[in-house]
Amino acid sequence: MLPNGILAWALVSVVGLLGLFVILYLGLGLWHLRKESVDRAHLLRGRAALHVLLQSPGGALEELRVLESLPRRLQLRLFRQTMRNLVGARNERVRALAEHLGHERWAEERCRSRRWWRRLEGARVLTLLSTGNRVMPSLLHDPVPEVRAQAVEWAATHATPEVIGRLLDLLSDPREVSRFTVQDTLLRIGHSVVEPLIRYLEIHEGVAAVPALQVARGIEDPRFIDPALSLIEDPNPIVRSHAAGLLGTIGGSTAEQALVALLTDPDPRPRAAAAQAIGILGHWGAGPLVAERLRDPSWIVRREAGLALRALGSTGKLLLRRALRSEDPFAADMARQVLDLPETTLDRGVVA
Amino acid sequence: MMDIAEILARGGVALEWGILVYFLLINGFYALLLLSAAMEMRQHFRRTAGENRWRVLSSRAVPRISMIAPAYNEAATIAESIRSLLSLYYPNLEVIVVNDGSKDDTVAVMAREFDLVSIHPIYQRQIPSQPVRALYRSRSHPNLLVVDKVNGGKADALNAGLNLARGELVCATDADTLLEADALLRMVRPFLLGSDVVAAGGTIRVANSSLVRGGRVIATRVPWKPVPGVQVVEYLRAFLFGRLGWNRMGGNIIISGAFGLFQRSAVVAAGGYAHDTVSEDMELVLRLRRIGYERHTSHRVEFVPDPVAWTEVPESLRDLGRQRDRWHRGLADVLWRHRRLLFNPRYGAMGLVVIPYFWLVELLAPVVEAVGLAVLGFAIAQGSLDLSFAVLFFLVAYGLGLLLSALTLLLEELSFQRYRRMRDRILLLLWAALESVGLRQLSVLWRLRGIGKFLRGRTDWGAMDRRGFQRSEAPSTRG
């Protein structure tokens, strides 16, 4: 076996390291306690100074000096805490203060760093300050997903045509890591993205169109009718389902006709989406065709058809009652379940 | 020809060498895990420093989360637990409480406190579960759904909840777990940034002795009692370096049943939770990953190091023993069910690194440790082993265990610093020392018992006496 000497050396090393780590642990603990208490006092002074500066934008040199005396990380923490709760002129005032303290310039320099976490740090500060037009657009092409996602978040308040174009490119980013942020940002931008999104949908098909269709559905603009009508014929059933959902937010006779045609789609997902959209639009003329879907072999289509009939009002309920006598036990069962649903508005909201 | 004594002596030496190599391998792997965990932690802090998590609150693009909380005989605490769940920060949240055939007034308390009304939603039973007796929706909180079903165990209750969940993501939690208010904002992050994530787990901490108000931990404390105290160190070690370290080295296969977030479609496609195991949480994660490999679909499991949930741990050795016995039985059961993953290159790093580690280190460690002790004792009795060597070996072995715990505490101090009082830090050091030289040996016995029970086919859970959380004020049971 191992000679005792080696084990003794191992033991001494372990004990030595253990002692070192214990000292480090307790030392760090003391340092954190001290830092916490100093930071607390600084933040208290800083908050009071910021309050005065917001009340009297012109003067208060003393308070400005107090803010200047704080370490950068505390200044930024203070701005982060404050800016999220302020709007309008006061927010602008805080932003001006941050600029005066050199945060914008500092963050821009960080954004040009070769280290990704520094670029991310800079991008977050510039997003907070809602500034950085000089450096942020280039970060929309950053190779690191986190940095790119941060730049996308920034873009919500800086929606130039170039920026929107880049955001739409990112919708079909194969790495997908920033898709949520892109969709969220496009929804926040709102109607300004309608035209570029239409152009995007005109040239994209298949799964690449799905995230754009989801955004379009959230924006609810009638100008999406043409791309929606085109994509409802896409070979991919998921795309057809999303296109049906979009038509359900638009309405009109053309959309209704397309949705009725989709009720006989070979895939159950578009059939279900079409039935749901018809229900949302309240297109009672399609009631008998929707009622036929109660006999659909797919449960999800039967369910959506039943709920759609319910949404169509008295016409739909009449059709549901007729379905109770259907030869198809599945259709009769679904009709019974839908007719048994409670009537109140509150309860209606909880069944769909 | 060698005589029997010589054969025994040579066998003993070979066994000792085997144990020594095993010991070095384990500690080497621990060191690797710790390094990996430290790197992951640094990366995590770089990614999240200065991040605006609150943006999610006002987003229309976030996925809906259905939170499923099984409850069994929880009349005393259910109202507060549900309020705590309903007040989580998340914009698109549905809470499903599944009453698993409680024999007390759990349903009556919920009906009274949340103004429940009976509903008949149209839903499909995609996963089999015990019959559902009734479904209720709260009038005061429309995002609260209560499922009253025939008793079938936790896995069955979760499956019943899965059938009714409408969220893209489902969160499995225990009704008695205390969640941080922004737990979901933190946990949803991997799903928002990566479309290939099927599950995410977060750090669970020990809540015993901490101050609780309104279902939230408002001040963390390290327990004075040794049994929960040493578990604080154990939990820190398991989560801070164990699971975090695996993120980089082949991925996690464990997500605590107390709090985990899953892609609903993946869980439903996998058939939901298994009924016939005491470790349904680990079994599900392993199955999700296995299916992902086999069908070439998403199977990434992420671990979020932020402390997101707090749980009450056993306060007596008897309860702790039962719990550890059950955990080890569960581990043995899950590894045996998925034994074909072992050293199977088809499953990538999971088959070649993660599963072998769990077999050799997690499952068989108590066996090796017990055999090692027996051989050492036998060798010393026979006079074939130097006593000073044995003592030195023990000291090095337990010193390394202690070193690992000290490094974990250091990692906590460098990252989250949840134990803010100096008194708590010193107590943690004390419990770390006790954990290495007291609990660890007892744990060997409990885990051996677990293996024995697994071999005999026992599947019972065992009971645990809960003392309740230390509240900063009397909890209100109404509005």
Side-chain angles (χ1 to χ4, degrees):
Chain A
M1 290 297 287
L2 283 175
N4 285 4
I6 293 180
L7 277 180
W9 271 111
L11 185 62
V12 169
S13 312
V14 167
V15 170
L17 281 172
L18 201 56
L20 180 73
F21 291 144
V22 168
I23 290 168
L24 258 175
Y25 173 64
L26 292 177
L28 264 175
L30 283 171
W31 182 71
H32 280 140
L33 280 178
R34 164 94 185 124
K35 187 168 154 257
E36 197 182 329
S37 120
V38 171
D39 282 0
R40 204 181 303 125
H42 273 149
L43 281 171
L44 213 61
R45 281 195 307 134
R47 216 167 279 135
L50 192 59
H51 180 71
V52 174
L53 283 164
L54 288 176
Q55 298 295 326
S56 55
L61 273 176
E62 182 69 24
E63 277 71 22
L64 196 58
R65 266 189 221 110
V66 169
L67 272 189
E68 283 169 349
S69 71
L70 297 183
R72 185 181 299 279
R73 69 182 166 82
L74 290 185
Q75 288 176 0
L76 285 173
R77 198 199 293 183
L78 202 57
F79 290 140
R80 227 172 258 134
Q81 290 168 352
T82 315
M83 291 186 79
R84 282 172 196 156
N85 302 316
L86 294 177
V87 286
R90 289 196 166 187
N91 210 349
E92 284 301 319
R93 176 75 187 136
V94 179
R95 193 170 297 136
L97 272 172
E99 198 178 334
H100 170 80
L101 293 168
H103 292 305
E104 188 180 341
R105 206 172 46 250
W106 173 82
E108 283 181 357
E109 278 167 24
R110 300 293 267 191
C111 286
R112 293 191 190 98
S113 169
R114 289 177 63 191
R115 311 256 184 224
W116 69 265
W117 61 90
R118 288 197 183 142
R119 294 200 299 279
L120 182 61
E121 193 184 16
R124 284 195 171 140
V125 172
L126 291 176
T127 307
L128 175 75
L129 302 177
S130 194
T131 179
N133 285 319
R134 284 187 294 265
V135 289
M136 289 302 281
S138 64
L139 293 187
L140 287 167
H141 301 265
D142 198 277
V144 177
E146 273 83 4
V147 180
R148 215 162 53 230
Q150 189 57 47
V152 169
E153 193 179 321
W154 168 88
T157 48
H158 298 78
T160 61
E162 295 75 32
V163 165
I164 292 175
R166 177 62 189 148
L167 290 177
L168 292 173
D169 288 344
L170 285 171
L171 267 183
S172 53
D173 186 348
R175 282 166 288 189
E176 293 193 81
V177 281
S178 50
R179 180 180 286 180
F180 158 74
T181 328
V182 175
Q183 288 185 319
D184 183 56
T185 295
L186 288 171
L187 284 169
R188 282 172 200 268
I189 294 170
H191 289 274
S192 306
V193 302
V194 172
E195 290 299 335
L197 202 54
I198 289 171
R199 285 195 293 279
Y200 177 93
L201 287 169
E202 279 167 357
I203 54 170
H204 286 81
E205 54 182 21
V207 283
V210 171
L213 282 169
Q214 287 169 330
V215 174
R217 194 174 172 178
I219 294 173
E220 297 183 6
D221 193 293
R223 283 175 285 174
F224 287 121
I225 184 83
D226 288 337
L229 288 172
S230 159
L231 287 166
I232 214 158
E233 309 209 332
D234 194 277
N236 188 324
I238 297 169
V239 180
R240 295 201 295 277
S241 311
H242 282 283
L246 178 56
L247 285 175
T249 67
I250 297 170
S253 58
T254 323
E256 286 165 359
Q257 279 170 21
L259 288 170
V260 167
L262 204 65
L263 283 172
T264 51
D265 193 280
D267 191 278
R269 286 165 291 184
R271 292 202 299 273
Q276 189 186 42
I278 287 170
I280 291 168
L281 292 174
H283 178 36
W284 58 268
L289 294 168
V290 176
E292 275 180 29
R293 290 296 107 215
L294 287 171
R295 293 200 297 263
D296 199 282
S298 162
W299 181 86
I300 186 73
V301 179
R302 294 200 299 276
R303 176 183 186 269
E304 291 307 331
L307 292 173
L309 287 172
R310 186 171 187 259
L312 293 181
S314 51
T315 313
K317 284 199 179 151
L318 185 67
L319 291 163
L320 280 167
R321 282 197 202 97
R322 274 190 201 158
L324 290 174
R325 297 188 298 273
S326 169
E327 290 165 6
D328 186 329
F330 295 106
D333 180 55
M334 186 55 74
R336 163 59 53 209
Q337 286 192 63
V338 173
L339 286 168
D340 279 350
L341 289 172
E343 278 298 323
T344 65
T345 314
L346 171 76
D347 295 333
R348 213 176 269 173
V350 303
V351 288
Chain B
M1 287 286 284
M2 284 188 289
D3 60 8
I4 291 175
E6 197 179 344
I7 291 171
L8 273 177
R10 285 195 179 186
V13 170
L15 199 59
E16 282 167 19
W17 271 106
I19 288 167
L20 192 70
V21 169
Y22 179 81
F23 168 81
L24 289 173
L25 268 177
I26 282 188
N27 282 291
F29 209 91
Y30 282 160
L32 212 61
L33 266 181
L34 191 68
L35 190 71
S36 165
M39 285 161 75
E40 278 288 301
M41 188 69 91
R42 194 174 67 159
Q43 189 91 329
H44 174 73
F45 273 90
R46 279 176 173 169
R47 280 184 186 141
T48 54
E51 184 185 40
N52 180 11
R53 273 197 303 276
W54 306 108
R55 183 183 160 93
V56 170
L57 283 181
S58 60
S59 171
R60 286 193 289 149
V62 288
R64 174 182 285 185
I65 294 180
S66 298
M67 183 152 247
I68 307 174
Y72 179 71
N73 291 347
E74 314 227 13
T77 56
I78 192 72
E80 196 183 357
S81 301
I82 293 176
R83 272 198 195 94
S84 158
L85 295 179
L86 288 169
S87 59
L88 287 171
Y89 301 152
Y90 194 76
N92 201 355
L93 176 68
E94 167 186 61
V95 175
I96 301 174
V97 179
V98 186
N99 174 52
D100 191 30
S102 295
K103 289 169 187 154
D104 65 359
D105 291 337
T106 302
V107 174
V109 170
M110 287 192 280
R112 191 178 65 233
E113 295 289 328
F114 299 98
D115 192 12
L116 298 184
V117 55
S118 176
I119 58 160
H120 309 278
I122 304 166
Y123 72 99
Q124 198 173 21
R125 266 186 59 188
Q126 291 172 294
I127 306 168
S129 74
Q130 289 291 327
V132 171
R133 289 192 289 231
L135 291 159
Y136 305 93
R137 179 73 64 175
S138 163
R139 283 185 194 276
S140 54
H141 300 84
N143 60 335
L144 171 64
L145 176 72
V146 173
V147 183
D148 185 17
K149 65 177 275 293
V150 174
N151 181 267
K154 188 182 169 188
D156 192 69
L158 288 168
N159 285 341
L162 272 170
N163 283 328
L164 283 144
R166 292 178 298 160
E168 288 168 52
L169 303 176
V170 285
C171 178
T173 185
D174 291 332
D176 56 0
T177 298
L178 302 172
L179 301 178
E180 299 261 312
D182 61 351
L184 290 175
L185 297 181
R186 292 167 190 268
M187 291 283 288
V188 80
R189 196 177 180 279
F191 293 93
L192 299 184
L193 290 178
S195 56
D196 57 341
V197 178
V198 289
T203 298
I204 315 290
R205 294 274 174 106
V206 172
N208 302 48
S209 296
S210 291
L211 299 181
V212 175
R213 186 189 290 160
R216 302 266 180 269
V217 172
I218 54 159
T220 49
R221 300 277 185 270
V222 175
W224 277 98
K225 292 179 184 169
V227 176
V230 291
Q231 290 175 83
V232 175
V233 179
E234 262 196 321
Y235 271 64
L236 281 176
R237 216 170 55 186
F239 285 94
L240 270 188
F241 104 85
R243 297 192 192 171
L244 189 57
W246 280 117
N247 257 6
R248 209 171 258 258
M249 293 173 53
N252 273 291
I253 57 167
I254 302 181
I255 285 180
S256 171
F259 192 55
L261 198 55
F262 299 86
Q263 210 182 72
R264 184 169 65 98
S265 56
V267 179
V268 170
Y273 286 87
H275 290 212
D276 52 348
T277 177
V278 289
S279 192
E280 72 289 332
D281 38 11
M282 183 185 180
E283 201 284 328
L284 175 66
V285 177
L286 199 51
R287 190 149 35 94
L288 285 174
R289 294 205 61 193
R290 179 180 168 168
I291 289 172
Y293 274 109
E294 287 169 356
R295 297 181 191 165
H296 303 287
T297 52
S298 311
H299 59 83
R300 192 146 68 93
V301 175
E302 281 282 314
F303 176 72
V304 181
D306 302 39
V308 286
W310 300 76
T311 189
E312 188 189 0
V313 298
E315 297 230 338
S316 73
L317 282 175
R318 194 190 57 169
D319 285 341
L320 183 62
R322 279 183 192 159
Q323 186 196 53
R324 295 308 151 93
D325 153 355
R326 192 184 73 235
W327 283 3
H328 214 67
R329 239 183 314 147
L331 176 70
D333 178 39
V334 173
L335 290 177
W336 182 248
R337 278 166 193 253
H338 297 279
R339 57 190 175 279
R340 53 183 270 219
L341 271 66
L342 186 66
F343 295 121
N344 192 335
R346 184 182 176 194
Y347 301 99
M350 186 173 77
L352 297 174
V353 183
V354 185
I355 297 294
Y357 169 87
F358 274 85
W359 269 99
L360 297 173
V361 179
E362 296 289 340
L363 181 67
L364 296 178
V367 178
V368 175
E369 203 159 337
V371 170
L373 284 170
V375 169
L376 276 176
F378 180 73
I380 291 167
Q382 288 286 305
S384 60
L385 188 71
D386 181 13
L387 188 64
S388 59
F389 171 85
V391 171
L392 276 173
F393 185 79
F394 265 112
L395 288 176
V396 172
Y398 293 121
L400 280 172
L402 201 53
L403 197 64
L404 212 60
S405 298
L407 276 167
T408 309
L409 295 185
L410 197 60
L411 196 58
E412 158 70 4
E413 195 58 49
L414 287 166
S415 53
F416 300 109
Q417 302 145 38
R418 283 303 177 100
Y419 300 99
R420 309 189 84 89
R421 301 185 309 173
M422 217 49 211
R423 194 170 67 179
D424 288 328
R425 290 180 170 104
I426 293 167
L427 257 180
L428 274 179
L429 279 176
L430 184 72
W431 297 143
L434 194 68
E435 195 256 345
S436 288
V437 293
L439 185 77
R440 195 168 139 183
Q441 291 71 31
L442 274 173
S443 181
V444 169
L445 289 178
W446 294 327
R447 289 190 289 165
L448 281 173
R449 195 172 69 193
I451 292 175
K453 282 186 182 174
F454 165 70
L455 293 173
R456 293 199 300 277
R458 291 268 299 270
T459 55
D460 56 303
W461 271 62
M464 169 178 153
D465 291 333
R466 291 193 182 274
R467 299 176 65 86
F469 301 110
Q470 184 175 330
R471 295 170 205 285
S472 63
E473 60 184 33
S476 157
T477 51
R478 284 181 180 276

